[in-house]
Amino acid sequence: MHPMLNVAVKAARRAGNVIQRASLNLDTIRVEKKKSNDFVTEVDRAAEEAIIDVIHEAYPRHAILAEESGAKGMGSAEFEWIIDPIDGTTNFIHGHPQYAISIALAHKGQIQQAVVFDPNRNDLYTATRGVGAFLNDRRIRVSRRIQLNECVIATGFPVVDQSMIDTYLAILKDVIGKSAGARREGAASLDLCNVACGRVDGFFEFNLKPWDIAAGSLIVQEAGGIVTDMHGEQTWLESGDIVAASPKVLAQLLQIIAPHVKG
């Protein structure tokens, strides 16, 4: 395992311990609303602090972009860690066991290392650019299905920023009509890992943040999938609009999406 990936794994597991201890007493956790349908807890902050402590112990000069504490050390740093301490906070505070820690490392803007850790299942997804993607040390690959009508597509509802809700619902209607079904589980990092494992055949969502998708996107790519924005371009990390699937399924998804996102 690459030394930097090893640090990310150590950080993710430490945050997982914080989160799972807290999950035993959900009724005592303080929950704040950042905006409509967007929540943060003291556990998010404690887990994020645990991750940053591990990273800065190993790499004190690296920059950090984290969901709760924002950007630190940006500018001259070649390395940037992109962190979501709990992807799926709404699930977490409701006791729904579908959330994960997401940690990615970018070098000069390109994601090189990725970890997504599901503490409920003790599932560790990792990827190093050019080396492959793994679940608990077992190599993973995207689905081999090639016909969309046989595929299950994961998605996420635009519950925080609803500016694209009508466009999204129109796309979802078409996807459901031309696929074997859709799934919405509430944690984009795990949706992407499910694409990488072949548990679902594709994924699309609007208005995500870099920390939601940075790690999962590399895991999909290293598992043989393709990640684009809604136009088939590579602006997904900046725009937050993302489509991920195997090559043949991605082309079919983009064909469905295209009439709804012209311009």
Side-chain angles (χ1 to χ4, degrees):
M1 184 178 289
H2 191 283
M4 291 181 177
L5 184 62
N6 198 41
V7 168
V9 169
K10 179 180 177 182
R13 289 198 180 278
R14 186 172 296 181
N17 290 337
V18 171
I19 294 164
Q20 291 307 88
R21 284 198 302 270
S23 71
L24 301 175
N25 295 286
L26 288 174
D27 291 342
T28 67
I29 294 173
R30 293 194 303 276
V31 179
E32 300 172 23
K33 182 180 286 190
K34 293 189 282 188
K35 60 179 84 169
S36 178
N37 297 322
D38 191 10
F39 302 97
V40 61
T41 73
E42 59 193 311
V43 184
D44 293 77
R45 296 191 176 103
E48 184 171 290
E49 184 178 349
I51 292 167
I52 294 172
D53 284 349
V54 171
I55 291 170
H56 273 169
E57 183 180 351
Y59 303 108
R61 297 182 182 275
H62 286 191
I64 299 286
L65 176 62
E67 179 175 13
E68 308 308 336
S69 58
K72 298 178 181 178
M74 307 293 285
S76 60
E78 290 187 2
F79 290 94
E80 177 190 13
W81 295 85
I82 306 170
I83 301 163
D84 192 341
I86 307 179
D87 178 31
T89 296
T90 300
N91 284 345
F92 170 71
I93 61 180
H94 284 82
H96 181 62
Q98 184 73 5
Y99 50 85
I101 299 116
S102 176
I103 304 173
L105 175 64
H107 180 241
K108 296 182 178 180
Q110 185 181 58
I111 300 166
Q112 298 291 332
Q113 311 291 340
V115 170
V116 174
F117 179 48
D118 178 348
N120 289 292
R121 300 170 181 84
N122 198 32
D123 278 346
L124 181 72
Y125 303 87
T126 60
T128 296
R129 182 169 295 277
V131 175
F134 298 84
L135 167 57
N136 299 329
D137 300 321
R138 176 178 59 83
R139 187 178 288 273
I140 53 177
R141 297 291 296 176
V142 295
S143 165
R144 295 182 180 179
R145 295 181 188 89
I146 59 173
Q147 299 298 327
L148 188 62
N149 62 7
E150 299 175 351
C151 293
V152 171
I153 305 302
T155 188
F157 304 150
V159 295
V160 177
D161 181 350
Q162 298 188 15
S163 61
M164 297 293 291
I165 186 69
D166 291 337
T167 298
Y168 169 80
L169 290 174
I171 294 169
L172 181 61
K173 180 181 178 181
D174 284 352
V175 168
I176 290 173
K178 295 177 180 178
S179 70
R183 300 289 183 270
R184 197 279 183 178
E185 300 190 58
S189 62
L190 289 177
D191 288 332
L192 288 164
C193 288
N194 283 335
V195 173
C197 288
R199 295 171 183 151
V200 297
D201 304 287
F203 168 70
F204 75 97
E205 190 167 350
F206 287 96
N207 296 325
L208 291 167
K209 300 297 184 182
W211 45 79
D212 297 318
I213 55 180
S217 66
L218 181 62
I219 293 169
V220 169
Q221 290 167 336
E222 289 297 316
I226 299 178
V227 180
T228 74
D229 63 15
M230 299 292 171
H231 300 280
E233 305 295 338
Q234 290 299 304
T235 70
W236 47 270
L237 194 60
E238 295 77 27
S239 69
D241 301 337
I242 188 169
V243 187
S246 64
K248 291 187 182 298
V249 173
L250 183 99
Q252 294 170 79
L253 280 175
L254 290 175
Q255 194 170 27
I256 289 174
I257 292 168
H260 302 284
V261 294
K262 290 180 179 179

